[in-house]
């Protein structure tokens, strides 16, 4: 069209007639808003969260105040070729995550992980492990045959009702912990969530240490005949771990004693100030 008009000197009407295009179509200019900033932020988030699809990225964009229709976001997502690729071969650790500062008080940082075992009849069950990284208290050992992201969110709400809200939660990139239910929970509760780098469990060392003790002192010591029996024995171990078992990294105190002393020291310092 433009070549015929500019080079051959055809009128706009004649050039349109030659190729069968209506003049209004030729003159049309897109009214779409400039989405360059949204595109750049979407690409940055997709690079940071390499295993997140467009729905989860949409939640992250909304959290930052970027409002965009999900259909338009999907179109841009496809145009920028951000589709999550299916993994092949064994899982490899890629990328890094920003370092975390050590917690300086109770309830500043919780760590989450899952442990698996089986009943005497061969049925598998899982345990959600939650630990306070400062006091080393085992906050919860939730036992069930299935633990979805929605269930994890409910258990965290129950802990918050008892202890108050943590400043940060740390976990790996498991499907339950990167689900839409957990992403929406983070947004609603305004709790920072730190995902460790894939294949780097020692970045979540506090809960990994607890997992080792839990398996060695409880799971490997009992034959669980039923799920209720497993819950009872595991909860008894948790109470013993928090209230009776001395912790060498806490100077021989139990996690409960260390938490109590920390609260007393904090209150004393506030009075002095």
């Amino acid at each position: 069209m433009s070549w015929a008009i500019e080079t051959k000197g055809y009128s706009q009407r004649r050039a349109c007639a030659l190729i069968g295009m209506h003049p209004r179509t030729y003159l049309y200019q897109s009214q779409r808003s400039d989405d360059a900033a949204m595109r750049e932020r979407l690409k940055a988030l997709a690079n940071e969260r390499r295993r997140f699809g467009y729905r989860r990225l949409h939640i992250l964009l909304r959290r930052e105040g970027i409002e965009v229709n999900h259909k338009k976001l999907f179109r841009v997502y496809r145009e920028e070729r951000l589709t999550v690729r299916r993994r092949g071969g064994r899982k490899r650790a890629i990328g890094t995550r920003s370092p975390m500062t050590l917690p300086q008080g109770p309830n500043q940082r919780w760590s989450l992980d899952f442990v698996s075992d089986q009943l005497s009849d061969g049925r598998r069950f899982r345990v959600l492990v939650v630990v306070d990284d400062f006091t080393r208290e085992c906050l919860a050992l939730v036992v069930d045959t299935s633990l979805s992201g929605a269930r994890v969110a409910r258990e965290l709400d129950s802990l918050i009702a008892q202890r108050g809200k943590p400043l940060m939660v740390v976990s790996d990139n498991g499907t339950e912990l990167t689900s839409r239910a957990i992403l929406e929970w983070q947004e609603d509760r305004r709790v920072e969530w730190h995902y460790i780098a894939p294949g780097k469990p020692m970045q979540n060392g506090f809960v990994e240490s607890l997992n080792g003790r839990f398996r060695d002192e409880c799971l490997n010591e009992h034959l669980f005949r039923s799920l209720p029996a497993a819950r009872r024995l595991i909860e008894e171990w948790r109470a013993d771990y928090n209230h009776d078992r001395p912790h060498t990294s806490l100077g021989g105190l139990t996690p409960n004693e260390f938490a109590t002393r920390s609260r007393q020291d904090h209150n004393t310092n506030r009075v002095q100030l």
Side-chain angles (χ1 to χ4, degrees):
M1 278 286 295
S2 298
W3 175 84
I5 294 172
E6 296 171 2
T7 305
K8 294 297 185 178
Y10 290 174
S11 68
Q12 185 183 101
R13 183 180 297 276
R14 183 182 179 189
C16 288
L18 288 173
I19 64 171
M21 177 186 290
H22 196 283
R24 289 185 181 179
T25 303
Y26 174 70
L27 294 173
Y28 175 78
Q29 294 184 354
S30 174
Q31 301 298 315
R32 288 180 178 175
S33 59
D34 183 17
D35 57 6
M38 184 271 288
R39 283 176 181 267
E40 291 303 316
R41 187 55 187 152
L42 178 63
K43 289 191 288 185
L45 285 172
N47 183 60
E48 180 183 348
R49 308 282 192 179
R50 284 179 278 262
R51 305 307 299 172
F52 280 17
Y54 82 96
R55 290 185 179 87
R56 290 177 186 157
L57 293 174
H58 191 203
I59 293 173
L60 297 181
L61 286 173
R62 282 206 329 252
R63 187 182 299 175
E64 296 181 3
I66 301 176
E67 295 294 337
V68 56
N69 181 278
H70 72 279
K71 294 180 181 179
K72 178 178 180 179
L73 180 71
F74 180 68
R75 176 177 57 79
V76 175
Y77 180 80
R78 293 291 297 273
E79 288 175 358
E80 298 294 340
R81 299 183 179 181
L82 301 176
T83 306
V84 177
R85 294 191 178 119
R86 184 171 296 179
R87 291 190 185 277
R90 68 183 182 89
K91 183 168 65 176
R92 298 178 182 272
I94 54 174
T96 59
R97 299 293 187 272
S98 57
M100 297 179 293
T101 58
L102 290 174
Q104 301 300 312
N107 240 32
Q108 290 188 3
R109 192 173 78 200
W110 296 353
S111 292
L112 275 63
D113 202 7
F114 290 98
V115 176
S116 298
D117 204 18
Q118 66 180 22
L119 303 175
S120 57
D121 61 4
R123 285 185 298 158
R124 304 291 298 180
F125 67 87
R126 304 182 77 198
V127 184
L128 170 65
V129 183
V130 186
V131 61
D132 186 308
D133 289 355
F134 180 74
T135 65
R136 312 298 202 277
E137 292 173 282
C138 181
L139 305 182
L141 292 173
V142 182
V143 182
D144 215 327
T145 53
S146 177
L147 293 166
S148 65
R151 174 70 181 279
V152 172
R154 291 198 302 270
E155 295 296 338
L156 290 175
D157 281 337
S158 178
L159 283 174
I160 288 174
Q162 299 171 27
R163 299 176 56 90
K165 188 168 63 175
L167 300 180
M168 175 186 288
V169 175
V170 182
S171 76
D172 60 19
N173 294 267
T175 54
E176 300 89 351
L177 303 175
T178 55
S179 64
R180 293 183 64 185
I182 291 297
L183 290 174
E184 291 172 354
W185 183 89
Q186 298 171 34
E187 182 177 7
D188 293 340
R189 304 301 182 276
R190 299 185 182 276
V191 173
E192 184 179 357
W193 198 292
H194 180 92
Y195 290 103
I196 65 172
K200 300 290 184 181
M202 287 316 297
Q203 291 184 5
N204 205 6
F206 292 101
V207 75
E208 290 291 339
S209 176
L210 174 59
N211 288 348
R213 294 183 175 91
F214 174 46
R215 184 169 294 282
D216 184 53
E217 299 173 11
C218 181
L219 297 181
N220 293 346
E221 289 295 307
H222 297 287
L223 186 64
F224 304 111
R225 299 188 181 278
S226 65
L227 203 59
R231 287 173 176 149
R232 176 177 56 82
L233 290 169
I234 287 171
E235 183 58 27
E236 288 175 359
W237 182 88
R238 188 182 77 88
D240 178 77
Y241 179 88
N242 285 335
H243 297 280
D244 299 312
R245 185 187 185 282
H247 206 298
T248 54
S249 67
L250 301 178
L253 298 175
T254 67
N256 183 262
E257 290 171 339
F258 183 76
T260 302
R261 180 172 296 185
S262 298
R263 285 191 289 269
Q264 290 173 346
D265 293 342
H266 178 72
N267 292 335
T268 299
N269 292 335
R270 289 184 62 183
V271 170
Q272 292 175 351
L273 290 175

